[in-house]
Amino acid sequence: MWYGVYVLVLVVFGIAVHAASDRVAYTWRWDRIPQYIVNNDGTEMRAPYDGFVAVAPDKKSLTLKELRGSRHDTITGFDVLLVGDGDLVFQNDALARKSGLVAGPLTLGLWMTLKLSAVALVFSMLLGLVAGLGRIARNPAVYGLATTYVELIRGTPLLVQIFIFYFFVGTVLKLSAFTAGAAALAVFTGAYVAEIIRAGIESIPRGQMEAARSLGMSVPQAMRHVVLPQAFKKTLPPLAGQFINLIKDSSLVSVMALTDLTKAGREVVASTFSPFEVWFTVALMYLVLTGTLSLFVRRLEKRLAHD
Amino acid sequence: MTESAAEVLIEVRDVGKVFANGVVGLKQVSMTVRRGEVVCIIGPSGSGKSTLLRTLNALETITSGEIQVLGQSVHGGKANLNRLRTHVGMVFQSFNLFPHKTALENLMLAPRVVGKVATSELRERCQALLAKVGLADKADAHPAQLSGGQQQRVAIARALAMQPDIMLFDEPTSALDPEKVNEVLDVMKVLAREGMTMCVVTHEMGFARAVADRVVFMEAGEIVYEDRPEPFFEAPRSERLKAFLGQVLK
Ligand SMILES: Nc1ncnc2c1ncn2[C@@H]1O[C@H](COP(=O)(O)OP(=O)(O)OP(=O)(O)O)[C@@H](O)[C@H]1O
Ligand SMILES: [Mg+2]
């Protein structure tokens, strides 16, 4: 019964979307999208320097001789030859093409988003653990530093932080766009992870730490073997939520010279003039990432619940 | 009087404790416990029994006086507290078992982590301890799967796994259903008979009378009265103790 209502609402919503696009006289061109995910264009082999081409008689290999130098390279394994024997080519000219399936810009963007999120996740976890422990430390210097970090990060917009990392920190430390982007995301997420971990640790009854200490364990030993394993189990759901946010927030790094999924989407829109299809596709690809993550976390939770 | 010749394991001298919020926990408390002695501490709620016990293994600090355990000054700042605590087992009212570990793992964790015992023999020794508290078949159970009485017996075995010289018990049976109290007290009786040095905060007057070498009565942070069990219960020479006993024994 309620399942029927659920389906009905979804269908009505779908019809509404369709009707809305009709009203703005939009022509759906879904057929244009797949080539931006995977295509058969193949990869082009380009000249590493200016030079003359010598094609082998069997046309299965070619040799490039440098124009103003003595370097020469033999290129093989291509399917289509794009130059003739004796041609003069310049650096980066296409020499030949190898056919086969290659990832389109959206897939490359997805991969960049995945890499960025994964790197940021690992470092935000480390940062969050350190800052979270700092937030419960008795040492005023440690506590003060951890609190300042958390408040500073939570009190400013991520976009502003990304600009600071890209234009200031990145320039000063000569970071690549990827490093700057991953660092900004890690530092941002780390502050939230710290608060989640602090709350998790504080939710473990004091008696656990006391029992561990009464057995002769040091504070770090008690943390490592008694408190943190229990806190980790409790913080798994909020941590998962935070990491899903991380994946979504990573779209903000598209303001930098990084072609993540969102930036790729923008570029594809510019060349296809099919914004609706592209953005729906991009949204779906984000959903695949976040959905996989929450599935994985749910599995992990179930496994931890058993022991 | 061979007992008075035994080595002194715990020496509490003029200890005072004022909490950060100004509450007075202990006032001029002095007490001596020798090897093999069982000392029971009784008294009304809030009289400082737990506070006294917790100062013995430095779970609580003191504001004045001096405590020596196993010949080391506990609060002097010089003792290696982690090392000292491996010699002083503690059993809590609320068990405080590690819920993410099985019963056997609860026993094995601290010896393994603190590195006091070789791992090869550890498992067998811990299994033997579980058998000793009557829970050989519960080695793989998690605390949530055990009754309160069983949990407390695991907690006792866990403390014993460190091979302590002294055992501290803070109301070990107060959180238990009445029918589970005896299974825990029986384990403690066996320990006492084996010569374990024990400090037991308890409301179980029958246990104190049967097992204790001395009984200590605390009220309002002070040790008001202290004696061997027979005179303590039969003919207390303290009006405050008489009033207290009158209330709890009815
Ligand atoms: N951490 C603390 N901060 C402030 N006051 C405390 C603290 N712990 C205990 N007290 C107070 O110190 C007094 C002694 O407490 P304690 O727990 O030692 O009593 P108790 O004899 O063990 O009582 P019970 O039988 O209820 O366990 C009480 O008045 C209590 O409120
Ligand atoms: Mg108490």
Side-chain angles (χ1 to χ4, degrees), chain A residues 246-267:
Chain A
L246 167 64
I247 292 176
K248 296 185 292 180
D249 290 342
S250 74
S251 70
L252 286 175
V253 300
S254 61
V255 298
M256 314 193 327
L258 261 188
T259 310
D260 75 321
L261 184 48
T262 301
K263 180 81 156 285
R266 243 181 355 231
E267 287 171 3

mmCIF file with all atom_site columns, all heavy atoms in Angstrom, chain A residues 246-267:
data_model
loop_
_atom_site.group_PDB
_atom_site.id
_atom_site.type_symbol
_atom_site.label_atom_id
_atom_site.label_alt_id
_atom_site.label_comp_id
_atom_site.label_asym_id
_atom_site.label_entity_id
_atom_site.label_seq_id
_atom_site.pdbx_PDB_ins_code
_atom_site.Cartn_x
_atom_site.Cartn_y
_atom_site.Cartn_z
_atom_site.occupancy
_atom_site.B_iso_or_equiv
_atom_site.pdbx_formal_charge
_atom_site.auth_seq_id
_atom_site.auth_comp_id
_atom_site.auth_asym_id
_atom_site.auth_atom_id
_atom_site.pdbx_PDB_model_num
ATOM 1   N N   . LEU A 1 246 ? 32.136 15.073 2.354   1.00 0.00 ? 246 LEU A N   1
ATOM 2   C CA  . LEU A 1 246 ? 33.448 15.348 1.755   1.00 0.00 ? 246 LEU A CA  1
ATOM 3   C C   . LEU A 1 246 ? 33.410 15.139 0.243   1.00 0.00 ? 246 LEU A C   1
ATOM 4   O O   . LEU A 1 246 ? 33.884 15.981 -0.524  1.00 0.00 ? 246 LEU A O   1
ATOM 5   C CB  . LEU A 1 246 ? 34.501 14.445 2.401   1.00 0.00 ? 246 LEU A CB  1
ATOM 6   C CG  . LEU A 1 246 ? 35.858 14.374 1.711   1.00 0.00 ? 246 LEU A CG  1
ATOM 7   C CD1 . LEU A 1 246 ? 36.544 15.723 1.739   1.00 0.00 ? 246 LEU A CD1 1
ATOM 8   C CD2 . LEU A 1 246 ? 36.741 13.332 2.383   1.00 0.00 ? 246 LEU A CD2 1
ATOM 9   N N   . ILE A 1 247 ? 32.803 14.036 -0.175  1.00 0.00 ? 247 ILE A N   1
ATOM 10  C CA  . ILE A 1 247 ? 32.723 13.754 -1.619  1.00 0.00 ? 247 ILE A CA  1
ATOM 11  C C   . ILE A 1 247 ? 31.958 14.875 -2.321  1.00 0.00 ? 247 ILE A C   1
ATOM 12  O O   . ILE A 1 247 ? 32.375 15.381 -3.357  1.00 0.00 ? 247 ILE A O   1
ATOM 13  C CB  . ILE A 1 247 ? 32.041 12.397 -1.858  1.00 0.00 ? 247 ILE A CB  1
ATOM 14  C CG1 . ILE A 1 247 ? 32.951 11.265 -1.361  1.00 0.00 ? 247 ILE A CG1 1
ATOM 15  C CG2 . ILE A 1 247 ? 31.714 12.214 -3.334  1.00 0.00 ? 247 ILE A CG2 1
ATOM 16  C CD1 . ILE A 1 247 ? 32.332 9.884  -1.458  1.00 0.00 ? 247 ILE A CD1 1
ATOM 17  N N   . LYS A 1 248 ? 30.849 15.282 -1.699  1.00 0.00 ? 248 LYS A N   1
ATOM 18  C CA  . LYS A 1 248 ? 30.046 16.332 -2.329  1.00 0.00 ? 248 LYS A CA  1
ATOM 19  C C   . LYS A 1 248 ? 30.774 17.677 -2.308  1.00 0.00 ? 248 LYS A C   1
ATOM 20  O O   . LYS A 1 248 ? 30.774 18.413 -3.287  1.00 0.00 ? 248 LYS A O   1
ATOM 21  C CB  . LYS A 1 248 ? 28.690 16.431 -1.629  1.00 0.00 ? 248 LYS A CB  1
ATOM 22  C CG  . LYS A 1 248 ? 27.869 15.159 -1.796  1.00 0.00 ? 248 LYS A CG  1
ATOM 23  C CD  . LYS A 1 248 ? 26.489 15.281 -1.209  1.00 0.00 ? 248 LYS A CD  1
ATOM 24  C CE  . LYS A 1 248 ? 26.562 15.387 0.305   1.00 0.00 ? 248 LYS A CE  1
ATOM 25  N NZ  . LYS A 1 248 ? 25.225 15.500 0.904   1.00 0.00 ? 248 LYS A NZ  1
ATOM 26  N N   . ASP A 1 249 ? 31.407 17.972 -1.162  1.00 0.00 ? 249 ASP A N   1
ATOM 27  C CA  . ASP A 1 249 ? 32.122 19.250 -1.048  1.00 0.00 ? 249 ASP A CA  1
ATOM 28  C C   . ASP A 1 249 ? 33.297 19.340 -2.015  1.00 0.00 ? 249 ASP A C   1
ATOM 29  O O   . ASP A 1 249 ? 33.735 20.429 -2.362  1.00 0.00 ? 249 ASP A O   1
ATOM 30  C CB  . ASP A 1 249 ? 32.648 19.438 0.388   1.00 0.00 ? 249 ASP A CB  1
ATOM 31  C CG  . ASP A 1 249 ? 31.523 19.685 1.370   1.00 0.00 ? 249 ASP A CG  1
ATOM 32  O OD1 . ASP A 1 249 ? 30.417 20.054 0.909   1.00 0.00 ? 249 ASP A OD1 1
ATOM 33  O OD2 . ASP A 1 249 ? 31.735 19.508 2.584   1.00 0.00 ? 249 ASP A OD2 1
ATOM 34  N N   . SER A 1 250 ? 33.808 18.165 -2.407  1.00 0.00 ? 250 SER A N   1
ATOM 35  C CA  . SER A 1 250 ? 34.968 18.198 -3.297  1.00 0.00 ? 250 SER A CA  1
ATOM 36  C C   . SER A 1 250 ? 34.617 18.906 -4.602  1.00 0.00 ? 250 SER A C   1
ATOM 37  O O   . SER A 1 250 ? 35.497 19.329 -5.336  1.00 0.00 ? 250 SER A O   1
ATOM 38  C CB  . SER A 1 250 ? 35.485 16.784 -3.569  1.00 0.00 ? 250 SER A CB  1
ATOM 39  O OG  . SER A 1 250 ? 34.610 16.115 -4.448  1.00 0.00 ? 250 SER A OG  1
ATOM 40  N N   . SER A 1 251 ? 33.312 19.049 -4.908  1.00 0.00 ? 251 SER A N   1
ATOM 41  C CA  . SER A 1 251 ? 32.931 19.741 -6.142  1.00 0.00 ? 251 SER A CA  1
ATOM 42  C C   . SER A 1 251 ? 33.370 21.204 -6.110  1.00 0.00 ? 251 SER A C   1
ATOM 43  O O   . SER A 1 251 ? 33.531 21.829 -7.151  1.00 0.00 ? 251 SER A O   1
ATOM 44  C CB  . SER A 1 251 ? 31.426 19.657 -6.357  1.00 0.00 ? 251 SER A CB  1
ATOM 45  O OG  . SER A 1 251 ? 30.763 20.446 -5.397  1.00 0.00 ? 251 SER A OG  1
ATOM 46  N N   . LEU A 1 252 ? 33.597 21.730 -4.895  1.00 0.00 ? 252 LEU A N   1
ATOM 47  C CA  . LEU A 1 252 ? 34.000 23.138 -4.800  1.00 0.00 ? 252 LEU A CA  1
ATOM 48  C C   . LEU A 1 252 ? 35.423 23.367 -5.296  1.00 0.00 ? 252 LEU A C   1
ATOM 49  O O   . LEU A 1 252 ? 35.786 24.487 -5.626  1.00 0.00 ? 252 LEU A O   1
ATOM 50  C CB  . LEU A 1 252 ? 33.872 23.626 -3.346  1.00 0.00 ? 252 LEU A CB  1
ATOM 51  C CG  . LEU A 1 252 ? 32.440 23.858 -2.885  1.00 0.00 ? 252 LEU A CG  1
ATOM 52  C CD1 . LEU A 1 252 ? 32.418 24.218 -1.406  1.00 0.00 ? 252 LEU A CD1 1
ATOM 53  C CD2 . LEU A 1 252 ? 31.768 24.936 -3.698  1.00 0.00 ? 252 LEU A CD2 1
ATOM 54  N N   . VAL A 1 253 ? 36.251 22.293 -5.329  1.00 0.00 ? 253 VAL A N   1
ATOM 55  C CA  . VAL A 1 253 ? 37.614 22.521 -5.822  1.00 0.00 ? 253 VAL A CA  1
ATOM 56  C C   . VAL A 1 253 ? 37.625 22.767 -7.322  1.00 0.00 ? 253 VAL A C   1
ATOM 57  O O   . VAL A 1 253 ? 38.669 23.091 -7.878  1.00 0.00 ? 253 VAL A O   1
ATOM 58  C CB  . VAL A 1 253 ? 38.568 21.342 -5.514  1.00 0.00 ? 253 VAL A CB  1
ATOM 59  C CG1 . VAL A 1 253 ? 38.669 21.093 -4.039  1.00 0.00 ? 253 VAL A CG1 1
ATOM 60  C CG2 . VAL A 1 253 ? 38.143 20.106 -6.263  1.00 0.00 ? 253 VAL A CG2 1
ATOM 61  N N   . SER A 1 254 ? 36.444 22.637 -7.962  1.00 0.00 ? 254 SER A N   1
ATOM 62  C CA  . SER A 1 254 ? 36.424 22.905 -9.400  1.00 0.00 ? 254 SER A CA  1
ATOM 63  C C   . SER A 1 254 ? 36.702 24.378 -9.697  1.00 0.00 ? 254 SER A C   1
ATOM 64  O O   . SER A 1 254 ? 36.889 24.748 -10.845 1.00 0.00 ? 254 SER A O   1
ATOM 65  C CB  . SER A 1 254 ? 35.090 22.483 -10.008 1.00 0.00 ? 254 SER A CB  1
ATOM 66  O OG  . SER A 1 254 ? 34.053 23.207 -9.412  1.00 0.00 ? 254 SER A OG  1
ATOM 67  N N   . VAL A 1 255 ? 36.754 25.204 -8.655  1.00 0.00 ? 255 VAL A N   1
ATOM 68  C CA  . VAL A 1 255 ? 37.148 26.607 -8.879  1.00 0.00 ? 255 VAL A CA  1
ATOM 69  C C   . VAL A 1 255 ? 38.654 26.696 -9.133  1.00 0.00 ? 255 VAL A C   1
ATOM 70  O O   . VAL A 1 255 ? 39.146 27.714 -9.597  1.00 0.00 ? 255 VAL A O   1
ATOM 71  C CB  . VAL A 1 255 ? 36.793 27.523 -7.692  1.00 0.00 ? 255 VAL A CB  1
ATOM 72  C CG1 . VAL A 1 255 ? 35.296 27.543 -7.473  1.00 0.00 ? 255 VAL A CG1 1
ATOM 73  C CG2 . VAL A 1 255 ? 37.516 27.100 -6.423  1.00 0.00 ? 255 VAL A CG2 1
ATOM 74  N N   . MET A 1 256 ? 39.378 25.625 -8.789  1.00 0.00 ? 256 MET A N   1
ATOM 75  C CA  . MET A 1 256 ? 40.821 25.661 -9.027  1.00 0.00 ? 256 MET A CA  1
ATOM 76  C C   . MET A 1 256 ? 41.091 25.017 -10.384 1.00 0.00 ? 256 MET A C   1
ATOM 77  O O   . MET A 1 256 ? 40.198 24.552 -11.056 1.00 0.00 ? 256 MET A O   1
ATOM 78  C CB  . MET A 1 256 ? 41.560 24.888 -7.940  1.00 0.00 ? 256 MET A CB  1
ATOM 79  C CG  . MET A 1 256 ? 41.054 25.222 -6.557  1.00 0.00 ? 256 MET A CG  1
ATOM 80  S SD  . MET A 1 256 ? 42.084 24.663 -5.214  1.00 0.00 ? 256 MET A SD  1
ATOM 81  C CE  . MET A 1 256 ? 42.769 23.183 -5.796  1.00 0.00 ? 256 MET A CE  1
ATOM 82  N N   . ALA A 1 257 ? 42.363 24.978 -10.749 1.00 0.00 ? 257 ALA A N   1
ATOM 83  C CA  . ALA A 1 257 ? 42.725 24.385 -12.036 1.00 0.00 ? 257 ALA A CA  1
ATOM 84  C C   . ALA A 1 257 ? 42.719 22.869 -11.923 1.00 0.00 ? 257 ALA A C   1
ATOM 85  O O   . ALA A 1 257 ? 43.699 22.208 -12.212 1.00 0.00 ? 257 ALA A O   1
ATOM 86  C CB  . ALA A 1 257 ? 44.104 24.876 -12.470 1.00 0.00 ? 257 ALA A CB  1
ATOM 87  N N   . LEU A 1 258 ? 41.611 22.318 -11.468 1.00 0.00 ? 258 LEU A N   1
ATOM 88  C CA  . LEU A 1 258 ? 41.519 20.877 -11.284 1.00 0.00 ? 258 LEU A CA  1
ATOM 89  C C   . LEU A 1 258 ? 40.256 20.417 -11.987 1.00 0.00 ? 258 LEU A C   1
ATOM 90  O O   . LEU A 1 258 ? 39.176 20.933 -11.719 1.00 0.00 ? 258 LEU A O   1
ATOM 91  C CB  . LEU A 1 258 ? 41.361 20.561 -9.795  1.00 0.00 ? 258 LEU A CB  1
ATOM 92  C CG  . LEU A 1 258 ? 42.568 20.140 -8.978  1.00 0.00 ? 258 LEU A CG  1
ATOM 93  C CD1 . LEU A 1 258 ? 42.108 19.694 -7.617  1.00 0.00 ? 258 LEU A CD1 1
ATOM 94  C CD2 . LEU A 1 258 ? 43.363 19.074 -9.678  1.00 0.00 ? 258 LEU A CD2 1
ATOM 95  N N   . THR A 1 259 ? 40.372 19.457 -12.872 1.00 0.00 ? 259 THR A N   1
ATOM 96  C CA  . THR A 1 259 ? 39.181 18.998 -13.579 1.00 0.00 ? 259 THR A CA  1
ATOM 97  C C   . THR A 1 259 ? 38.563 17.830 -12.821 1.00 0.00 ? 259 THR A C   1
ATOM 98  O O   . THR A 1 259 ? 38.821 16.677 -13.116 1.00 0.00 ? 259 THR A O   1
ATOM 99  C CB  . THR A 1 259 ? 39.522 18.609 -15.018 1.00 0.00 ? 259 THR A CB  1
ATOM 100 O OG1 . THR A 1 259 ? 40.254 19.683 -15.594 1.00 0.00 ? 259 THR A OG1 1
ATOM 101 C CG2 . THR A 1 259 ? 38.265 18.384 -15.815 1.00 0.00 ? 259 THR A CG2 1
ATOM 102 N N   . ASP A 1 260 ? 37.778 18.160 -11.825 1.00 0.00 ? 260 ASP A N   1
ATOM 103 C CA  . ASP A 1 260 ? 37.045 17.126 -11.108 1.00 0.00 ? 260 ASP A CA  1
ATOM 104 C C   . ASP A 1 260 ? 35.729 16.893 -11.838 1.00 0.00 ? 260 ASP A C   1
ATOM 105 O O   . ASP A 1 260 ? 35.498 17.447 -12.920 1.00 0.00 ? 260 ASP A O   1
ATOM 106 C CB  . ASP A 1 260 ? 36.814 17.534 -9.651  1.00 0.00 ? 260 ASP A CB  1
ATOM 107 C CG  . ASP A 1 260 ? 35.729 18.575 -9.547  1.00 0.00 ? 260 ASP A CG  1
ATOM 108 O OD1 . ASP A 1 260 ? 35.689 19.467 -10.430 1.00 0.00 ? 260 ASP A OD1 1
ATOM 109 O OD2 . ASP A 1 260 ? 34.915 18.507 -8.621  1.00 0.00 ? 260 ASP A OD2 1
ATOM 110 N N   . LEU A 1 261 ? 34.866 16.096 -11.257 1.00 0.00 ? 261 LEU A N   1
ATOM 111 C CA  . LEU A 1 261 ? 33.627 15.731 -11.936 1.00 0.00 ? 261 LEU A CA  1
ATOM 112 C C   . LEU A 1 261 ? 32.781 16.961 -12.285 1.00 0.00 ? 261 LEU A C   1
ATOM 113 O O   . LEU A 1 261 ? 32.227 17.061 -13.388 1.00 0.00 ? 261 LEU A O   1
ATOM 114 C CB  . LEU A 1 261 ? 32.849 14.753 -11.046 1.00 0.00 ? 261 LEU A CB  1
ATOM 115 C CG  . LEU A 1 261 ? 31.563 14.166 -11.603 1.00 0.00 ? 261 LEU A CG  1
ATOM 116 C CD1 . LEU A 1 261 ? 31.753 13.641 -13.003 1.00 0.00 ? 261 LEU A CD1 1
ATOM 117 C CD2 . LEU A 1 261 ? 31.060 13.051 -10.686 1.00 0.00 ? 261 LEU A CD2 1
ATOM 118 N N   . THR A 1 262 ? 32.680 17.920 -11.358 1.00 0.00 ? 262 THR A N   1
ATOM 119 C CA  . THR A 1 262 ? 31.855 19.092 -11.610 1.00 0.00 ? 262 THR A CA  1
ATOM 120 C C   . THR A 1 262 ? 32.434 19.966 -12.721 1.00 0.00 ? 262 THR A C   1
ATOM 121 O O   . THR A 1 262 ? 31.714 20.432 -13.603 1.00 0.00 ? 262 THR A O   1
ATOM 122 C CB  . THR A 1 262 ? 31.708 19.913 -10.316 1.00 0.00 ? 262 THR A CB  1
ATOM 123 O OG1 . THR A 1 262 ? 31.122 19.086 -9.329  1.00 0.00 ? 262 THR A OG1 1
ATOM 124 C CG2 . THR A 1 262 ? 30.855 21.139 -10.538 1.00 0.00 ? 262 THR A CG2 1
ATOM 125 N N   . LYS A 1 263 ? 33.758 20.161 -12.643 1.00 0.00 ? 263 LYS A N   1
ATOM 126 C CA  . LYS A 1 263 ? 34.412 20.959 -13.687 1.00 0.00 ? 263 LYS A CA  1
ATOM 127 C C   . LYS A 1 263 ? 34.258 20.276 -15.040 1.00 0.00 ? 263 LYS A C   1
ATOM 128 O O   . LYS A 1 263 ? 33.944 20.918 -16.053 1.00 0.00 ? 263 LYS A O   1
ATOM 129 C CB  . LYS A 1 263 ? 35.895 21.107 -13.331 1.00 0.00 ? 263 LYS A CB  1
ATOM 130 C CG  . LYS A 1 263 ? 36.708 21.912 -14.315 1.00 0.00 ? 263 LYS A CG  1
ATOM 131 C CD  . LYS A 1 263 ? 36.549 23.393 -14.096 1.00 0.00 ? 263 LYS A CD  1
ATOM 132 C CE  . LYS A 1 263 ? 37.756 24.167 -14.631 1.00 0.00 ? 263 LYS A CE  1
ATOM 133 N NZ  . LYS A 1 263 ? 38.924 24.043 -13.757 1.00 0.00 ? 263 LYS A NZ  1
ATOM 134 N N   . ALA A 1 264 ? 34.414 18.957 -15.076 1.00 0.00 ? 264 ALA A N   1
ATOM 135 C CA  . ALA A 1 264 ? 34.251 18.195 -16.311 1.00 0.00 ? 264 ALA A CA  1
ATOM 136 C C   . ALA A 1 264 ? 32.837 18.391 -16.852 1.00 0.00 ? 264 ALA A C   1
ATOM 137 O O   . ALA A 1 264 ? 32.643 18.590 -18.055 1.00 0.00 ? 264 ALA A O   1
ATOM 138 C CB  . ALA A 1 264 ? 34.545 16.725 -16.076 1.00 0.00 ? 264 ALA A CB  1
ATOM 139 N N   . GLY A 1 265 ? 31.863 18.366 -15.929 1.00 0.00 ? 265 GLY A N   1
ATOM 140 C CA  . GLY A 1 265 ? 30.482 18.587 -16.331 1.00 0.00 ? 265 GLY A CA  1
ATOM 141 C C   . GLY A 1 265 ? 30.314 19.934 -17.011 1.00 0.00 ? 265 GLY A C   1
ATOM 142 O O   . GLY A 1 265 ? 29.672 20.052 -18.052 1.00 0.00 ? 265 GLY A O   1
ATOM 143 N N   . ARG A 1 266 ? 30.943 20.958 -16.427 1.00 0.00 ? 266 ARG A N   1
ATOM 144 C CA  . ARG A 1 266 ? 30.826 22.299 -16.996 1.00 0.00 ? 266 ARG A CA  1
ATOM 145 C C   . ARG A 1 266 ? 31.424 22.355 -18.404 1.00 0.00 ? 266 ARG A C   1
ATOM 146 O O   . ARG A 1 266 ? 30.872 22.973 -19.304 1.00 0.00 ? 266 ARG A O   1
ATOM 147 C CB  . ARG A 1 266 ? 31.518 23.308 -16.093 1.00 0.00 ? 266 ARG A CB  1
ATOM 148 C CG  . ARG A 1 266 ? 30.516 24.292 -15.573 1.00 0.00 ? 266 ARG A CG  1
ATOM 149 C CD  . ARG A 1 266 ? 30.982 25.398 -14.683 1.00 0.00 ? 266 ARG A CD  1
ATOM 150 N NE  . ARG A 1 266 ? 32.330 25.457 -14.253 1.00 0.00 ? 266 ARG A NE  1
ATOM 151 C CZ  . ARG A 1 266 ? 32.691 25.603 -12.982 1.00 0.00 ? 266 ARG A CZ  1
ATOM 152 N NH1 . ARG A 1 266 ? 31.773 25.649 -12.042 1.00 0.00 ? 266 ARG A NH1 1
ATOM 153 N NH2 . ARG A 1 266 ? 33.940 25.703 -12.658 1.00 0.00 ? 266 ARG A NH2 1
ATOM 154 N N   . GLU A 1 267 ? 32.564 21.668 -18.561 1.00 0.00 ? 267 GLU A N   1
ATOM 155 C CA  . GLU A 1 267 ? 33.221 21.681 -19.873 1.00 0.00 ? 267 GLU A CA  1
ATOM 156 C C   . GLU A 1 267 ? 32.388 20.932 -20.913 1.00 0.00 ? 267 GLU A C   1
ATOM 157 O O   . GLU A 1 267 ? 32.285 21.363 -22.059 1.00 0.00 ? 267 GLU A O   1
ATOM 158 C CB  . GLU A 1 267 ? 34.612 21.053 -19.755 1.00 0.00 ? 267 GLU A CB  1
ATOM 159 C CG  . GLU A 1 267 ? 35.582 21.971 -19.023 1.00 0.00 ? 267 GLU A CG  1
ATOM 160 C CD  . GLU A 1 267 ? 36.908 21.293 -18.710 1.00 0.00 ? 267 GLU A CD  1
ATOM 161 O OE1 . GLU A 1 267 ? 37.101 20.124 -19.115 1.00 0.00 ? 267 GLU A OE1 1
ATOM 162 O OE2 . GLU A 1 267 ? 37.731 21.935 -18.047 1.00 0.00 ? 267 GLU A OE2 1
#
